[in-house]
Amino acid sequence: MTETRRQDTDGTPRPVAARRPGGRTARTRARILEATLHLVARDGIAGLRYEEIAELAGVHRTSVYRNWPDRDELVTAALLQYSGTVELEDTGDLRHDLVDYLVALAELLSTTTGRAMQRVIQSARENPEVALPVDRIFERRLGRLQQVVDRAVARGELPPVDGYFLAGLLTGPVHLYVSRGLRPFTRAEAERITDVVLAGLRHTAG
């Protein structure tokens, strides 16, 4: 790293820390990824055009090509950068934690990130390059859910249950509410879904 020098008032040179390299490049890449996510949310992967990405990001088209010559790699990078993972807390009260989780999930699905995720999921099965990061995101969420559920089972709050099965029961209605948009997804709805699912699991385990 080179060092520039300035002069004090008496004319004595003094060192000045050089500007770190990559700052401008990092900002450019961030703008490109954000623009990509917005366009995927609007048009899906099939309609993604580098010219539009560059225009929305305020950069030259060559900057997009230089950083991500492959479109699938660009979508993957944007998805991982802005996946907005919903955190599932573990306070010791499973019902409360699941209700909070569903409310947060509904909020995420209503954002640009959430809409882009839905678009990518729709095409992921036909595109292995994009399916991989999608799977990584869901595996991370599922792993956290399974941890919380296992602790609840150990406390006697719930019979043993597979996290993937429970996630489907809980989050399926949330996706339906948000995608249809016929009425808002409220905390009351999250509580109703959670209560029905937990009651069903306990009943069938008896």
Side-chain angles (χ1 to χ4, degrees), residues 84-89 94-111 141 170-175 177-178 184-194:
T85 301
V86 179
E87 292 295 333
L88 174 60
E89 300 295 333
L94 180 63
R95 178 184 183 275
H96 177 272
D97 295 336
L98 291 178
V99 170
D100 281 351
Y101 177 76
L102 296 187
V103 171
L105 177 62
E107 292 175 351
L108 173 64
L109 293 175
S110 301
T111 65
R141 294 178 182 176
L170 289 169
T171 63
V174 181
H175 284 266
Y177 264 85
V178 176
F185 185 86
T186 65
R187 188 173 187 85
E189 300 296 340
E191 290 173 343
R192 289 173 60 191
I193 293 169
T194 302

Side-chain angles (χ1 to χ4, degrees), residues 78-94:
L79 197 60
L80 292 175
Q81 178 75 16
Y82 297 102
S83 59
T85 301
V86 179
E87 292 295 333
L88 174 60
E89 300 295 333
D90 187 7
T91 66
D93 183 341
L94 180 63

Side-chain angles (χ1 to χ4, degrees), residues 5-15:
R5 290 181 175 273
R6 293 179 180 171
Q7 290 186 340
D8 286 327
T9 53
D10 61 358
T12 303
R14 59 183 175 88

Side-chain angles (χ1 to χ4, degrees), residues 52-89:
E52 287 189 272
I53 295 172
E55 181 178 357
L56 184 59
V59 301
H60 196 276
R61 185 176 61 180
T62 55
S63 296
V64 185
Y65 280 107
R66 182 171 61 251
N67 285 281
W68 291 281
D70 182 87
R71 186 181 65 173
D72 291 343
E73 291 181 0
L74 172 57
V75 173
T76 296
L79 197 60
L80 292 175
Q81 178 75 16
Y82 297 102
S83 59
T85 301
V86 179
E87 292 295 333
L88 174 60
E89 300 295 333

Side-chain angles (χ1 to χ4, degrees), residues 9-175:
T9 53
D10 61 358
T12 303
R14 59 183 175 88
V16 177
R19 183 174 300 174
R20 291 180 178 273
R24 181 178 179 182
T25 300
R27 288 192 296 271
T28 297
R29 288 170 63 90
R31 289 200 301 270
I32 292 171
L33 293 177
E34 185 176 1
T36 299
L37 198 68
H38 277 275
L39 292 174
V40 169
R42 190 190 72 186
D43 303 325
I45 298 176
L48 191 63
R49 297 173 58 246
Y50 275 35
E51 293 79 3
E52 287 189 272
I53 295 172
E55 181 178 357
L56 184 59
V59 301
H60 196 276
R61 185 176 61 180
T62 55
S63 296
V64 185
Y65 280 107
R66 182 171 61 251
N67 285 281
W68 291 281
D70 182 87
R71 186 181 65 173
D72 291 343
E73 291 181 0
L74 172 57
V75 173
T76 296
L79 197 60
L80 292 175
Q81 178 75 16
Y82 297 102
S83 59
T85 301
V86 179
E87 292 295 333
L88 174 60
E89 300 295 333
D90 187 7
T91 66
D93 183 341
L94 180 63
R95 178 184 183 275
H96 177 272
D97 295 336
L98 291 178
V99 170
D100 281 351
Y101 177 76
L102 296 187
V103 171
L105 177 62
E107 292 175 351
L108 173 64
L109 293 175
S110 301
T111 65
T112 298
T113 300
R115 292 191 295 273
M117 280 287 295
Q118 297 308 304
R119 291 276 193 171
V120 172
I121 290 170
Q122 291 170 7
S123 61
R125 296 308 96 187
E126 291 77 36
N127 192 330
E129 293 297 324
V130 177
L132 182 61
V134 171
D135 289 342
R136 286 171 56 188
I137 291 169
F138 279 102
E139 285 174 3
R140 185 169 55 192
R141 294 178 182 176
L142 183 60
R144 175 59 178 167
L145 175 61
Q146 189 68 64
Q147 288 179 350
V148 174
V149 168
D150 288 345
R151 293 183 187 127
V153 171
R155 294 193 300 266
E157 289 187 68
L158 198 66
V161 60
D162 176 67
Y164 186 86
F165 178 68
L166 179 58
L169 294 175
L170 289 169
T171 63
V174 181
H175 284 266

